[in-house]
Amino acid sequence: MIERKGILGIIYLTMEWITRIAYLNILWVLFTVLGLIVTGFAPATTSMFTLTRKWLKGNTDDKILPIFWNTYKREFVKSNLLIWPLLIAGYILYIDYQYIMLVDGQLFFVLLVVFVNILILYLITILYIFPTYVHFKFKNIFQYYKNAFILGFSSPFITFSMLISLFIIGLVMEKIPGLIPFFLVASSSLVLTWYANLSFIKAEKRVN
């Protein structure tokens, strides 16, 4: 057994995390395809966030594949019911944007301001929706949307830090595209979960 102390320990832990993240990313790709992408994306993403949440809580020795597969099966229907309204809303926003670009004059600026504000609300919800879904247990799916938005909106610095971190990940992947199949999605999940946990802790402190 390798001693996890000193420089060798740091190297070992680094390689362990790299392997863990790459494995999770590959599982996400495979299970998304398994669900024919359209219906596989949501349960695969839920499974991924479930594992990153466990890791950040210190449960790094749990077997990855059984947890991923069991979560995927258990959350297949509910996670799709969660994410599809958001995907439809995103498509509607895209259509609205195309329409706004055709408008001239003062109406253009009015519609653009309204659109930007709605888009911000939408993006905040998207950032927090999966961390919120795997952290809380609500019977009503609408509660996940509401809490995801409230948590993100009430922690602007954390939310902004999320965006900056995702931007940095995007830059790294752009420079080294070979990393994308192994690290893009899982590393983003880890970052979002970490920041979302800070928001959860902050909210709990406000309540107490």
Side-chain angles (χ1 to χ4, degrees), residues 26-95:
I26 292 170
L27 284 178
W28 180 86
V29 172
L30 291 176
F31 278 82
T32 298
V33 174
L34 178 66
L36 303 178
I37 300 176
V38 175
T39 56
F41 167 78
T45 305
T46 300
S47 301
M48 178 177 60
F49 274 90
T50 297
L51 277 159
T52 53
R53 179 174 180 269
K54 283 180 174 292
W55 293 348
L56 291 174
K57 284 182 167 294
N59 301 320
T60 55
D61 293 329
D62 294 341
K63 292 184 178 180
I64 295 174
L65 182 57
I67 293 174
F68 197 103
W69 173 235
N70 289 333
T71 305
Y72 186 90
K73 291 186 295 181
R74 185 179 66 249
E75 301 293 343
F76 190 89
V77 173
K78 190 176 179 181
S79 62
N80 272 295
L81 291 175
L82 174 81
I83 203 63
W84 269 99
L86 291 175
L87 294 177
I88 293 171
Y91 180 72
I92 292 173
L93 284 173
Y94 172 75
I95 297 299

Side-chain angles (χ1 to χ4, degrees), residues 100 103-117:
I100 291 171
V103 177
D104 294 322
Q106 188 175 0
L107 180 60
F108 168 78
F109 293 102
V110 173
L111 292 177
L112 185 62
V113 169
V114 173
F115 175 81
V116 169
N117 279 279

Side-chain angles (χ1 to χ4, degrees), residues 10-203:
I10 293 173
I11 294 173
Y12 177 82
L13 286 174
T14 301
M15 295 305 298
E16 190 178 52
W17 272 101
I18 289 173
T19 304
R20 186 181 292 132
I21 293 170
Y23 182 38
L24 181 59
N25 204 96
I26 292 170
L27 284 178
W28 180 86
V29 172
L30 291 176
F31 278 82
T32 298
V33 174
L34 178 66
L36 303 178
I37 300 176
V38 175
T39 56
F41 167 78
T45 305
T46 300
S47 301
M48 178 177 60
F49 274 90
T50 297
L51 277 159
T52 53
R53 179 174 180 269
K54 283 180 174 292
W55 293 348
L56 291 174
K57 284 182 167 294
N59 301 320
T60 55
D61 293 329
D62 294 341
K63 292 184 178 180
I64 295 174
L65 182 57
I67 293 174
F68 197 103
W69 173 235
N70 289 333
T71 305
Y72 186 90
K73 291 186 295 181
R74 185 179 66 249
E75 301 293 343
F76 190 89
V77 173
K78 190 176 179 181
S79 62
N80 272 295
L81 291 175
L82 174 81
I83 203 63
W84 269 99
L86 291 175
L87 294 177
I88 293 171
Y91 180 72
I92 292 173
L93 284 173
Y94 172 75
I95 297 299
D96 288 343
Y97 174 77
Q98 297 296 319
Y99 170 75
I100 291 171
M101 291 299 104
L102 299 176
V103 177
D104 294 322
Q106 188 175 0
L107 180 60
F108 168 78
F109 293 102
V110 173
L111 292 177
L112 185 62
V113 169
V114 173
F115 175 81
V116 169
N117 279 279
I118 294 175
L119 182 62
I120 290 172
L121 304 183
Y122 178 76
L123 289 176
I124 290 174
T125 305
I126 288 291
L127 287 173
Y128 281 83
I129 191 63
F130 279 108
T132 300
Y133 182 64
V134 301
H135 185 82
F136 297 101
K137 297 299 178 185
F138 298 125
K139 292 182 179 179
N140 186 350
I141 286 180
F142 177 75
Q143 290 292 105
Y144 291 108
Y145 302 145
K146 185 180 75 172
N147 280 274
F149 170 72
I150 291 174
L151 287 164
F153 189 76
S154 61
S155 304
F157 178 76
I158 294 175
T159 302
F160 182 72
S161 298
M162 270 186 177
L163 292 171
I164 294 298
S165 297
L166 291 178
F167 178 72
I168 292 172
I169 290 174
L171 287 179
V172 172
M173 298 299 161
E174 182 183 17
K175 295 295 182 182
I176 316 175
L179 296 177
I180 293 176
F182 304 100
F183 296 103
L184 175 61
V185 181
S187 60
S188 298
S189 170
L190 196 62
V191 165
L192 290 176
T193 303
W194 188 78
Y195 280 115
N197 283 342
L198 294 180
S199 183
F200 298 153
I201 292 170
K202 182 179 176 182

